[in-house]
Amino acid sequence: MELADMAKRIVDDHFAGREELREKLNALGVTRRHLTELFEKKYDLTLEQYVAQVRLRRAKELLDEGSRITDAAFAVGMESSASFSTFFKKLEGITPSEYAAQRASKRPCCFCETPLGLVRIAEDNQGISLLKFTDSVPDPMQAGQKGLYLADAEKQILEYFAGKRRTFDIPLSIRGSEFQETVWNALRTIPYGETRSYQQVAQMIGNGKASRAVGMANNRNPILIMIPCHRVVGKDGKLVGYAGGIERKERLLELEREAEK
């Protein structure tokens, strides 16, 4: 096998580990300059350019799968999310978060009319990834999309609003920071018709001083109702903060209280 081909295989196998990659390439027994010349002559790009392409391709695969940006960064050998963002934008023209948002907008989705307004539901290959209220008129090309979970999700949401469903048994694809995911999973344990304060949720996750951070995570919940962030209230029971609006939060709690009678 030619040296250039050997170098290519080494990059494919070890691109994420900078030190390991360097050691493997040095073990070929030629200078880095000579190896780069051989590689460029055969593949019409430098060794460094090829390494960058492999890293970018793998990073995009991970983001497409729903990986967090920090996880994707470390998986492709980047030292921080900031350096990963700079690297990604230089090669792709957009940041990792912009890329992930674009990909998310193309996922299968449907629109469901509820007593509190229109909701948009989206999925990825692992489950429901988005449920939010929207005032936007649905795109006819999107409104009737089929997916693995959309029909069941719409059915269960309508059952919830009819007072016939208290829990959801549909897979959710929860994607956020480690802390956000911990909070969102804790919210799913709050019983139907009950509420918890931000401080109580903080205590539920073992960090009683994180009330403020819990509030921020609560507000960034991407899957409303199914992850019941509407059941989290202020310490004095006051209704504060809800991505769908305070009026909707109040009506959701009223719906659950009435169904419990």
Side-chain angles (χ1 to χ4, degrees):
M1 183 183 295
E2 295 182 9
L3 283 172
D5 293 331
M6 293 176 65
K8 184 175 183 294
R9 176 172 293 183
I10 288 171
V11 171
D12 291 338
D13 292 341
H14 304 283
F15 72 92
R18 291 179 181 272
E19 291 301 321
E20 187 176 11
L21 176 59
R22 185 179 296 111
E23 291 175 2
K24 293 288 185 180
L25 290 174
N26 289 341
L28 292 177
V30 294
T31 65
R32 188 61 174 264
R33 180 175 179 179
H34 181 50
L35 182 59
T36 297
E37 290 174 352
L38 293 174
F39 195 92
E40 187 170 3
K41 182 177 180 180
K42 180 159 187 176
Y43 294 109
D44 199 29
L45 75 167
T46 67
L47 189 58
E48 287 73 16
Q49 288 172 331
Y50 183 69
V51 172
Q53 285 185 8
V54 174
R55 284 200 170 102
L56 178 66
R57 182 168 64 248
R58 180 55 181 153
K60 291 167 72 173
E61 289 174 353
L62 291 167
L63 294 174
D64 290 345
E65 293 168 2
S67 294
R68 293 190 294 258
I69 290 174
T70 50
D71 291 340
F74 293 132
V76 298
M78 295 293 165
E79 296 177 353
S80 68
S81 55
S83 60
F84 176 57
S85 182
T86 300
F87 159 81
F88 196 99
K89 187 171 184 178
K90 181 179 179 180
L91 295 183
E92 193 67 12
I94 56 176
T95 65
S97 58
E98 290 170 337
Y99 176 83
Q102 287 182 6
R103 298 294 292 181
S105 69
K106 297 177 182 178
R107 292 174 185 157
C109 71
C110 69
F111 294 82
C112 177
E113 190 64 57
T114 77
L116 299 187
L118 192 67
V119 296
R120 179 174 184 264
I121 308 172
E123 68 170 47
D124 59 23
N125 59 358
Q126 295 187 31
I128 297 302
S129 59
L130 176 78
L131 194 160
K132 68 176 183 179
F133 290 98
T134 178
D135 296 322
S136 302
V137 177
D139 184 335
M141 295 295 291
Q142 288 185 313
Q145 287 190 47
K146 295 182 179 180
L148 294 173
Y149 311 102
L150 294 179
D152 282 344
E154 183 175 2
K155 177 177 179 291
Q156 291 188 24
I157 282 295
L158 293 177
E159 289 173 346
Y160 168 83
F161 276 103
K164 299 177 180 179
R165 176 173 291 275
R166 287 163 171 71
T167 60
F168 297 93
D169 56 4
I170 190 167
L172 303 185
S173 180
I174 303 174
R175 305 291 182 180
S177 69
E178 183 177 353
F179 180 82
Q180 287 173 333
E181 290 182 12
T182 299
V183 172
W184 297 338
N185 283 319
L187 300 183
R188 298 175 71 186
T189 70
I190 303 176
Y192 181 94
E194 298 184 16
T195 61
R196 298 289 186 271
S197 69
Y198 293 104
Q199 185 173 13
Q200 286 175 317
V201 176
Q203 292 169 345
M204 288 166 61
I205 65 172
N207 190 349
K209 297 182 179 180
S211 299
R212 186 178 182 85
V214 164
M216 294 176 64
N218 201 66
N219 192 54
R220 290 183 172 86
N221 170 25
I223 310 175
L224 302 183
I225 302 175
M226 292 183 177
I227 298 178
C229 57
H230 61 277
R231 296 176 192 158
V232 185
V233 298
K235 189 175 182 179
D236 56 359
K238 184 178 180 180
L239 302 187
V240 293
Y242 185 60
I246 293 296
E247 183 178 349
R248 286 192 177 112
K249 181 172 186 171
E250 183 176 16
R251 291 182 64 184
L252 287 170
L253 292 175
E254 287 177 354
L255 181 154
E256 295 184 6
R257 286 194 293 265
E258 288 298 317
E260 285 287 82
K261 291 181 179 179

